Amino acid sequence: MRKSRRRSCPRWCMTTTRPVQKTSGLSRKTEMRFQGFCEFRPRILVDVSHIDMTTTVFGFKVSMPIMIAPTAMQKMAHPDGEYATARAASAAGTIMTLSSWATSSVEEVASTGPGIRFFQLYVLKDRNVVAQLVRRAERAGFKAIVLTVDTLRLGRREADIKNRFALPPNLTLKNFEGLDIGKMDRANDSGLATYAAEQVDRSLSWKDVKWLQTITTLPILVKGVLTAEDTRVAVQAGAAGIIVSNHGARQLDYVPATIMALEEVVKAAQGKLPVFLDGGVRRGTDVFKALALGASGVFIGRPVLFSLAAEGEAGVKKVLQMLRDEFELTMALSGCRSLKEITRDHIMTEHDRPRVAPRL
């Protein structure tokens, strides 16, 4: 085992206030922000001898409201890559979302065995390729399409530019093998940025959500919503769900952290579709905060990549179990025996505190 993999998933990678990569030169913390944003209001003397964390997502029962977000090129973190993540998610009884830019194909991930899986989609300029990808995901047994809508252009990722990021020569974007749409080669700045500029369709609009509905019967979740205005349009467009996400704060500086945008989106959705949170979840307490603010569940990205790099499949299993245990403990200490019992009354945010006018 490599030395770097012997470091079991360190707790520093789970902090809620970790600074993240700069994009346009000004760093922005994207996680759950400072701990004072949410304070708990626990209920006492509740029989919590049995805690039920199960839920259903589009009719599929999962063991907990903690699911795996799409993250690209996982074989750069570990040789088993998406295979390991898929097996760990299945063992935990939860959902894995496979990235379009994965280093394992939809068919390869499906071959790992049974599991509930979603497919994340970037809409490319060649719509025939997009339709082919969607149909392949359907045939492979994937249960939903996660449409990423916040990357029509890639944010300025300065670390990628500095490092002239490109896929190692032994890896490929497996979902596009055999298709004549170009490769991610080393460039003068970021190979990923060059590839995205060449392939991703910048004309993507709400009408394309309708178009996707004509080529698939799978539910379509819109990933990248941060405002009430876009939430209402998503409902009108027939989206099956919304994922509140700022793409790991690597797209646009000064957008709100996902936890800060969540309640606005939930209120605008008016219960017409489920709202999920993606980004910033590092503790089981963060899961509780999101559900108390109205989320139907959360997706985790960086914790999966960190744990995958540290210990492969065992690491991903470990981080899922850690979050599960912490979330169960938070529920118990808050007097909640099921997800339905987690309400807005269980937390207080900075916006709930009374504003005291300064004395003149």
Side-chain angles (χ1 to χ4, degrees):
M1 185 180 290
R2 299 172 313 184
K3 184 176 181 180
S4 62
R5 291 176 59 193
R6 295 185 66 87
R7 298 174 301 178
S8 61
C9 184
R11 202 66 216 191
W12 59 260
C13 79
M14 303 295 286
T15 177
T16 62
T17 57
R18 187 180 59 83
V20 299
Q21 175 187 0
K22 294 180 181 179
T23 53
S24 62
L26 295 169
S27 62
R28 172 73 172 169
K29 292 181 180 179
T30 95
E31 318 300 290
M32 288 296 182
R33 214 174 174 185
F34 48 86
Q35 293 183 0
F37 168 71
C38 270
E39 294 178 350
F40 290 163
R41 302 180 68 250
R43 301 300 303 273
I44 59 173
L45 293 179
V46 178
D47 179 358
V48 291
S49 55
H50 176 70
I51 303 292
D52 181 12
M53 291 181 288
T54 61
T55 188
T56 56
V57 179
F58 300 120
F60 298 98
K61 188 174 182 178
V62 294
S63 66
M64 56 183 173
I66 305 168
M67 298 158 283
I68 295 180
T71 51
M73 312 168 201
Q74 292 185 13
K75 286 187 179 180
M76 291 188 70
H78 189 277
D80 292 340
E82 294 86 0
Y83 286 81
T85 303
R87 289 192 292 261
S90 180
T94 194
I95 294 168
M96 175 203 180
T97 312
L98 181 70
S99 170
S100 285
W101 291 344
T103 42
S104 305
S105 69
V106 290
E107 294 85 3
E108 289 171 334
V109 169
S111 74
T112 62
I116 308 167
R117 300 178 183 114
F118 294 173
F119 180 65
Q120 177 271 332
L121 180 68
Y122 288 114
V123 174
L124 309 182
K125 294 174 182 177
D126 189 335
R127 295 303 175 91
N128 291 327
V129 171
V130 175
Q132 184 178 339
L133 282 175
V134 170
R135 293 185 184 113
R136 283 172 58 193
E138 282 185 314
R139 288 195 298 269
F142 285 66
K143 305 303 183 186
I145 300 297
V146 175
L147 175 64
T148 297
V149 296
D150 58 3
T151 51
L152 306 188
R153 294 182 62 175
L154 213 62
R156 182 176 172 82
R157 303 177 184 180
E158 293 181 343
D160 288 355
I161 295 171
K162 178 181 178 181
N163 297 326
R164 298 176 63 193
F165 175 83
L167 268 177
N170 62 311
L171 297 177
T172 60
L173 300 182
K174 281 286 189 172
N175 286 314
F176 302 111
E177 265 192 347
L179 301 176
D180 187 20
I181 62 169
K183 295 181 180 180
M184 188 187 304
D185 297 320
R186 183 169 289 275
N188 290 330
D189 45 24
S190 164
L192 176 61
T194 301
Y195 179 82
E198 292 172 351
Q199 302 300 332
V200 174
D201 189 351
R202 296 183 182 181
S203 72
L204 183 70
S205 67
W206 287 106
K207 71 178 187 299
D208 294 304
V209 176
K210 294 286 189 182
W211 171 73
L212 281 173
Q213 292 167 353
T214 68
I215 66 170
T216 183
T217 58
L218 295 178
I220 298 170
L221 292 86
V222 179
K223 178 178 179 288
V225 176
L226 291 172
T227 65
E229 295 89 340
D230 282 336
T231 300
R232 288 188 283 268
V233 179
V235 171
Q236 294 168 0
I242 283 174
I243 300 178
V244 176
S245 171
N246 59 20
H247 216 101
R250 293 173 300 147
Q251 281 298 100
L252 177 64
D253 283 334
Y254 300 104
V255 295
T258 52
I259 194 70
M260 305 291 285
L262 175 60
E263 193 167 25
E264 174 183 335
V265 173
V266 168
K267 288 180 178 178
Q270 297 181 332
K272 296 176 181 177
L273 44 64
V275 175
F276 303 91
L277 178 136
D278 172 23
V281 175
R282 300 294 183 269
R283 294 273 187 176
T285 47
D286 296 333
V287 182
F288 189 93
K289 296 172 194 175
L291 268 63
L293 288 169
S296 295
V298 304
F299 288 85
I300 58 170
R302 283 187 175 97
V304 170
L305 286 179
F306 295 152
S307 57
L308 177 66
E311 294 186 25
E313 180 181 342
V316 180
K317 287 180 176 178
K318 183 182 294 185
V319 80
L320 289 171
Q321 187 63 49
M322 288 167 64
L323 289 171
R324 178 187 176 87
D325 291 345
E326 291 175 0
F327 178 53
E328 182 182 31
L329 180 60
T330 304
M331 287 181 64
L333 294 177
S334 298
C336 298
R337 295 161 295 191
S338 69
L339 302 188
K340 291 181 179 178
E341 293 186 355
I342 302 174
T343 70
R344 184 63 170 78
D345 291 335
H346 283 96
I347 62 169
M348 179 172 63
T349 72
E350 57 184 1
H351 304 299
D352 299 325
R353 297 185 179 90
R355 297 290 191 265
V356 178
R359 298 180 66 178
L360 300 178

